[in-house]
Amino acid sequence: MSHLPFDDTTDFTNADRGFVTALNPAVITSDDGQVIWDNDGYAFLDAACPDTAHPSLWRQAQLCARQGLYEVTEGIYQVRGLDLSNMTVVEGERGIIVIDPLISAETAAAALALYRGHRGDRPVTALIYTHSHGDHFGGARGVLPRGTEDGVPVLAPAGFLEHAVSENVYAGNAMTRRAMYMYGDRLAKAPDGQIGAGLGMTTSTGTMTLIPPTVDITHTGQEEVLDGVRIVFQLTPGTEAPAEMNFLFPDRRALCLAENATHNMHNIVTLRGAVVRDARIWSRYLDEAVDLFGDATDVAFASHHWPTWGRENVRDFLATQRDLYAYLHDQTLRLLNAGLTGPEIAETIQLPPALERCWHVRGYYGSLSHNVKAVYQRYLGWFDGNPAHLWEHPPVESAERYVECMGGADAVVAKARAYAEAGDLRFAATLLNHVVFADASHAAARTELAGVYRRLGHGAENGPWRNFYLMGAKELDEGAGTTELDAANPEMAMALTVEQLVDSLAVRVDGPRAWDTELVIDLVVTDSPAAPARHRLTLHNGALTHRTVDPSGSGAPAGLTLTLTRPQLLSVLAGGGFDGIERSGDTSLLGDLFAVLVEPDRSFPIVTPQVTRDATPQVAREG
């Protein structure tokens, strides 16, 4: 800690620069009165760092907790501290361009109202999504309510909708559940509880929405003029998101960096889960941004944290971020090619001193440890080459055997307590975790493990690590709880294509239950963009597949054909019946399909074993 420049207050100066006004009180509620955002709960951060927090993370939390409306440069404003992300407002000739409307419609509406209270009731004339993560599009209806979006262009990088769906719908339940731990949703905001997440404070829990893009950004150098404002784009796929872009406002010498360069080390793969990102290409796109925009930029801002002002400061900021991801990638590859595994590299690698001392590459959100493992995973996958790890027992079965070998649960708890007292919290957690998975009712093991997790959390510089440890302790003490944010709500479904809707059904099919069910259903969707399209759904061998077939229906007939619009399809999938829908064939086939679908469990445990296990027998196979 002594090497960190705590006497450098530049970040605090920049975080306060351009302040106009704050939301007071900084509490946002839903229509039914539920609190979905409370930034006032972080007032305790005004005090000195306690012994229940890492001083570096405490400093980052103090910076991220600042909230209100800020002027970035003439005609560009940001609302910060009203969600995990920032919302940016760019003033045009007739109204405003909104960039990244937060997570929830409620927080986005509050952010827009805060801006309008200072700058007037200007209409929204364009909407831009910088990338495909929910905290950058979820509040869309808060700035463009239904009935106001006609004629308003919505811009996004090519591939946005596909990746937004794959993350927030296909794997949405598991990711949202783990995000609850990553952001500490159930933790009290307190010096010994939730103090932020490094990237921002936490996530709002309101209504997540999505207005599909109408304009795709397809190539670097593409220029668009929105409400009289000229914008030059740089596509950066495979960086912080599979579909992402930076862009310059050349007439205002202002550069939007999306989430490609923020005031922390980012994730190569997040703890909530995501597609593994490419640190190599991330670094190259940052280098390209320096070349494309460095001499034309006086201020760089992003969708998290605070801006960087001054041409040379921006170039230095981008170059340092570039070097971080290049070093992470290249040194991990060097060491894996020397035979080290992911965990071994994570214990071995060290950043150069110049990067170690730099505040904006500290591991507040991503960490050097889990990013190295992500790079390893990208190239070599989950298997480290050791055949002992090729076919290990799952956690409960392994734990039962370890505990038996070590003399029983009480003996393991005693050994773990000794390790904890000696300061080896990591191994104490490993031992106690075995006891909890071997016997979830063992009260002493749960209590001891919760205590170890709290100590690990309080010592973590990384926000998500802290939250995972403290949420783990809370689950051990109180049970798993339920995820409040629902990424798969009707508003999200309205934005999906027919193919994506069917894919979202396919991932809910209970395979074993569907082994002996066979059916073919045609969906003739009459309001498809080009012409009526016939989508054939086939359930066979427990797999629901689909393809587009001859619209005339020639060829082998389906067992059931429904002719309907997309809204009617959504209604059918929600169990709304067949009113007003043309149909031929056996309508009971739809019931057969619904009978093999399962609803995701929004309260599955993370640090304790599942109550029930899949009874499907495990069979050894070769090849």
Side-chain angles (χ1 to χ4, degrees):
M1 290 296 298
S2 60
H3 65 284
L4 291 176
F6 279 95
D7 57 342
D8 181 358
T9 59
T10 302
D11 283 336
F12 288 90
T13 300
N14 285 342
D16 290 333
R17 180 170 172 172
F19 175 75
V20 177
T21 187
L23 183 65
N24 187 23
V27 178
I28 300 170
T29 59
S30 60
D31 290 341
D32 61 3
Q34 295 294 312
V35 174
I36 63 166
W37 182 260
D38 179 7
N39 208 71
D40 289 343
Y42 294 105
F44 63 85
L45 287 167
D46 291 340
C49 180
D51 59 7
T52 54
H54 193 291
S56 179
L57 180 60
W58 188 266
R59 173 188 180 277
Q60 182 77 350
Q62 290 178 319
L63 289 161
C64 291
R66 284 157 158 74
Q67 67 87 8
L69 177 68
Y70 295 80
E71 184 180 30
V72 176
T73 191
E74 185 177 358
I76 300 180
Y77 291 80
Q78 283 191 315
V79 180
R80 305 184 206 129
L82 295 189
D83 213 320
L84 180 71
S85 48
N86 302 333
M87 189 171 88
T88 303
V89 176
V90 180
E91 296 177 347
E93 294 176 352
R94 297 179 296 105
I96 55 174
I97 304 161
V98 173
I99 303 171
D100 288 355
L102 309 181
I103 293 176
S104 302
E106 295 87 347
T107 56
L112 185 58
L114 186 65
Y115 164 81
R116 284 173 168 164
H118 178 70
R119 298 291 293 169
D121 192 15
R122 305 175 186 218
V124 176
T125 51
L127 180 60
I128 300 177
Y129 304 137
T130 61
H131 61 289
S132 52
H133 292 155
D135 53 325
H136 302 267
F137 65 76
R141 287 296 179 196
V143 298
L144 281 176
R146 286 197 173 278
T148 67
E149 70 269 37
D150 289 349
V152 178
V154 180
L155 283 71
F160 168 88
L161 195 57
E162 173 191 350
H163 294 296
V165 170
S166 66
E167 179 161 306
N168 294 283
V169 177
Y170 297 160
N173 187 67
M175 284 188 178
T176 304
R177 182 74 181 137
R178 282 168 52 157
M180 177 181 175
Y181 284 63
M182 182 170 169
Y183 296 109
D185 285 3
R186 295 178 62 224
L187 299 175
K189 296 178 174 66
D192 61 348
Q194 208 271 0
I195 63 170
L199 190 67
M201 299 315 294
T202 187
T203 53
S204 64
T205 56
T207 307
M208 194 171 182
T209 62
L210 173 59
I211 301 173
T214 61
V215 178
D216 285 344
I217 304 303
T218 60
H219 61 277
T220 293
Q222 182 172 338
E223 291 196 26
E224 300 288 340
V225 177
L226 302 176
D227 195 7
V229 178
R230 188 162 63 100
I231 311 173
V232 181
F233 292 90
Q234 177 201 15
L235 273 187
T236 64
T239 53
E240 191 272 336
E244 191 150 355
M245 59 187 183
N246 301 324
F247 43 94
L248 177 74
F249 296 90
D251 299 324
R252 302 182 189 186
R253 298 182 61 83
L255 175 62
C256 176
L257 291 168
E259 205 167 322
N260 286 319
T262 54
H263 288 272
N264 52 212
M265 180 191 303
H266 217 295
N267 289 292
I268 306 304
V269 70
T270 66
L271 300 186
R272 63 180 168 83
V275 174
V276 179
R277 298 152 188 175
D278 187 344
R280 176 187 61 90
I281 203 70
W282 196 332
S283 173
R284 292 188 181 182
Y285 279 128
L286 288 174
D287 196 40
E288 182 182 65
V290 175
D291 183 54
L292 289 173
F293 305 130
D295 291 336
T297 300
D298 290 332
V299 60
F301 63 92
S303 294
H304 296 275
H305 301 141
W306 51 94
T308 299
W309 283 271
R311 185 175 63 179
E312 288 307 313
N313 292 334
V314 171
R315 292 178 69 96
D316 288 347
F317 174 70
L318 287 171
T320 304
Q321 289 273 318
R322 172 201 65 198
D323 295 347
L324 168 67
Y325 297 112
Y327 190 90
L328 263 172
H329 175 272
D330 296 348
Q331 295 307 304
T332 301
L333 267 292
R334 177 180 68 84
L335 292 168
L336 74 80
N337 279 319
L340 275 68
T341 66
E344 290 169 336
I345 299 170
E347 293 297 305
T348 303
I349 196 169
Q350 186 174 0
L351 290 178
L355 293 181
E356 276 282 322
R357 291 192 297 270
C358 185
W359 287 118
H360 69 81
V361 299
R362 297 296 297 178
Y364 302 123
Y365 190 54
S367 77
L368 187 61
S369 176
H370 74 251
N371 277 342
V372 161
K373 296 169 188 174
V375 174
Y376 184 96
Q377 177 185 337
R378 180 177 180 88
Y379 285 94
L380 295 182
W382 63 269
F383 181 46
D384 63 5
N386 185 334
H389 303 148
L390 187 59
W391 194 36
E392 293 181 299
H393 286 292
V396 169
E397 287 76 3
S398 289
E400 291 170 346
R401 288 159 175 79
Y402 277 119
V403 170
E404 180 185 8
C405 289
M406 289 185 284
D410 293 340
V412 179
V413 170
K415 291 179 185 294
R417 188 178 294 121
Y419 277 105
E421 290 172 353
D424 190 348
L425 299 176
R426 294 167 68 180
F427 193 60
T430 297
L431 290 178
L432 291 165
N433 183 67
H434 282 318
V435 179
V436 169
F437 271 77
D439 180 4
S441 65
H442 197 288
R446 295 176 74 104
T447 299
E448 292 286 341
L449 184 54
V452 168
Y453 282 162
R454 288 191 186 91
R455 291 175 63 186
L456 285 166
H458 292 161
E461 184 181 19
N462 181 274
W465 281 36
R466 176 186 174 97
N467 292 334
F468 255 97
Y469 281 129
L470 297 184
M471 283 291 291
K474 193 172 186 68
E475 180 181 323
L476 287 162
D477 288 342
E478 302 175 12
T482 301
T483 302
E484 294 182 27
L485 183 63
D486 182 9
N489 58 44
E491 178 70 37
M492 289 286 289
M494 284 296 295
L496 307 186
T497 65
V498 174
E499 291 84 356
Q500 290 168 334
L501 283 168
V502 178
D503 282 341
S504 68
L505 291 181
V507 298
R508 291 173 48 206
V509 171
D510 184 331
R513 191 190 303 173
W515 284 346
D516 299 321
T517 302
E518 295 190 16
L519 54 84
V520 177
I521 299 174
D522 278 1
L523 304 174
V524 180
V525 182
T526 58
D527 57 351
S528 293
R534 181 181 292 266
H535 302 268
R536 174 154 293 183
L537 283 59
T538 302
L539 182 62
H540 186 250
N541 288 328
L544 180 63
T545 58
H546 62 95
R547 57 191 168 90
T548 303
V549 297
D550 186 347
S552 68
S554 61
L560 170 65
T561 298
L562 301 178
T563 302
L564 69 184
T565 62
R566 283 188 72 259
Q568 287 175 323
L569 174 58
L570 287 170
S571 175
V572 168
L573 296 180
F578 299 106
D579 287 349
I581 295 171
E582 181 183 336
R583 56 196 184 274
S584 63
D586 184 1
T587 57
S588 70
L589 292 181
L590 193 64
D592 293 341
L593 174 59
F594 288 169
V596 298
L597 301 181
V598 294
E599 288 293 331
D601 179 4
R602 296 180 62 202
S603 60
F604 62 79
I606 301 287
V607 302
T608 53
Q610 295 274 6
V611 175
T612 59
R613 301 178 217 163
D614 190 343
T616 306
Q618 298 296 306
V619 180
R621 294 178 177 87
E622 296 181 358

